[in-house]
């Protein structure tokens, strides 16, 4: 799964990298080195023929949901079942997005210990990952405010089987889209599930580098660039 990641690149750099004409001037999220579920995150979408950089709620809330808290359990969608799961299949055909990430965290089990070693995973070239995502628009039609229903735009990150480089740490990883796949993935006119699910494969091992980091990242309350700094591996014999 992908439950924590880093989003520290400024919106103007992300807009340039992903081919967005220009981000809205008021679209500025604070650099976040410990992004956690239910927080607001950047996402790249294509609507009405234009590509945009937007801010979405992380934790997909299906349009049919009665309670938006269902999104707390929808931070990830499995590539193997995304086309058949009721929560995701409609979004797969019409509402796909890219979620930029400067890196992500996974926790490696330590043999003979109850502790886990947090690892920071990033690209060797320093460029951001382009996670395959889905988005939804949910409206609170039962409790409209001043005659207009509250709208929530939310997203989820698609995961797949880990590649050879990451398998030693975790059995899953986010789907990373190559630049050549962005146009196909973002195009809402392409509704063929088979055409887009063919992109949901593990990233090449060479796209992954990783190192151990401090257990401070275990708590979503901790933040700051120091979280991604290399740390000494945990001593499995410590108490």
């Amino acid at each position: 799964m992908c439950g924590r990641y880093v989003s520290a690149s400024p919106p103007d750099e992300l807009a340039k990298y992903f081919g967005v004409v220009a981000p809205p001037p008021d679209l500025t999220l604070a650099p976040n080195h410990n992004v956690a579920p239910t927080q607001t995150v950047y996402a790249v979408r294509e609507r009405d023929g234009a590509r945009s950089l937007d801010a979405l709620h992380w934790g997909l809330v299906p349009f049919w949901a009665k309670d938006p808290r269902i999104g707390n359990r929808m931070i990830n969608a499995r590539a193997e079942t995304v086309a058949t799961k009721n929560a995701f299949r409609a979004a797969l055909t019409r509402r796909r997005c890219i979620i930029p990430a400067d890196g992500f965290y996974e926790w490696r089990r330590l043999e003979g210990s109850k502790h886990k070693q947090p690892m920071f995973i990033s690209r060797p070239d320093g460029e951001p990952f382009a996670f395959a995502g889905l988005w939804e628009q949910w409206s609170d039609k039962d409790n409209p405010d001043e005659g207009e229903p509250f709208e929530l735009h939310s997203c989820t990150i698609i995961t797949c089987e880990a590649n050879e480089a990451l398998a030693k740490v975790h059995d899953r990883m986010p789907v990373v889209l190559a630049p050549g796949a962005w146009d196909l993935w973002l195009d809402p006119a392409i509704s063929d599930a088979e055409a887009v699910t063919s992109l949901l494969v593990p990233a090449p091992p060479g796209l992954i580098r990783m190192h151990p980091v401090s257990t401070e990242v275990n708590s979503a309350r901790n933040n700051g660039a120091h979280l991604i700094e290399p740390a000494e591996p945990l001593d499995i014999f410590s108490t």
Side-chain angles (χ1 to χ4, degrees):
M1 65 175 293
C2 178
R4 300 281 181 82
Y5 70 95
V6 174
S7 178
S9 295
D12 57 337
E13 291 185 9
L14 292 175
K16 181 178 179 181
Y17 186 75
F18 288 101
V20 174
V21 176
D26 59 345
L27 181 66
T28 302
L29 303 178
N32 192 338
H33 290 81
N34 201 1
V35 180
T38 75
Q39 294 180 351
T40 302
V41 301
Y42 288 124
V44 179
R45 298 188 286 183
E46 188 167 315
R47 294 181 294 169
D48 301 322
R51 189 173 296 183
S52 62
L53 181 68
D54 303 310
L56 308 183
H57 172 89
W58 185 20
L60 188 135
V61 180
F63 67 90
W64 45 258
K66 297 295 185 182
D67 188 333
R69 287 177 295 184
I70 192 176
N72 298 347
R73 306 193 303 273
M74 304 285 188
I75 65 168
N76 291 155
R78 294 176 67 92
E80 297 87 345
T81 57
V82 68
T84 56
K85 288 283 188 179
N86 191 38
F88 306 122
R89 62 187 180 189
L92 179 69
T93 60
R94 295 189 294 273
R95 292 178 290 277
R96 299 179 298 273
C97 64
I98 291 174
I99 299 173
D102 296 294
F104 62 100
Y105 301 101
E106 283 297 355
W107 282 256
R108 178 168 61 88
R109 292 186 180 276
L110 300 176
E111 187 176 353
S113 173
K114 64 180 180 180
H115 301 293
K116 294 182 180 180
Q117 173 67 63
M119 306 289 292
F120 177 63
I121 298 99
S122 59
R123 289 180 53 140
D125 58 11
E127 293 185 349
F129 287 118
F131 293 161
L134 306 174
W135 69 274
E136 274 286 6
Q137 177 178 321
W138 178 84
S139 298
D140 187 4
K141 299 181 178 64
D142 294 332
N143 296 288
D145 295 327
E146 302 297 329
E148 292 294 331
F150 167 74
E151 287 190 353
L152 178 68
H153 287 225
S154 60
C155 63
T156 188
I157 296 171
I158 302 177
T159 67
C160 62
E161 182 180 349
N163 63 21
E164 182 180 350
L166 197 57
K168 64 186 74 173
V169 174
H170 199 275
D171 62 349
R172 307 288 298 177
M173 69 179 298
V175 171
V176 179
L177 297 171
W182 295 352
D183 287 347
L184 172 61
W185 181 255
L186 291 174
D187 190 347
I190 298 176
S191 59
D192 181 0
E194 186 174 343
V196 292
T197 53
S198 65
L199 303 175
L200 306 180
V201 296
L207 203 66
I208 297 294
R209 69 175 177 184
M210 58 185 166
H211 60 256
V213 293
S214 168
T215 55
E216 281 190 65
V217 76
N218 293 355
S219 172
R221 293 189 296 271
N222 297 326
N223 216 311
H226 68 285
L227 293 179
I228 66 173
E229 294 297 322
E232 289 295 323
L234 292 176
D235 181 354
I236 66 172
F237 298 108
S238 62
T239 57

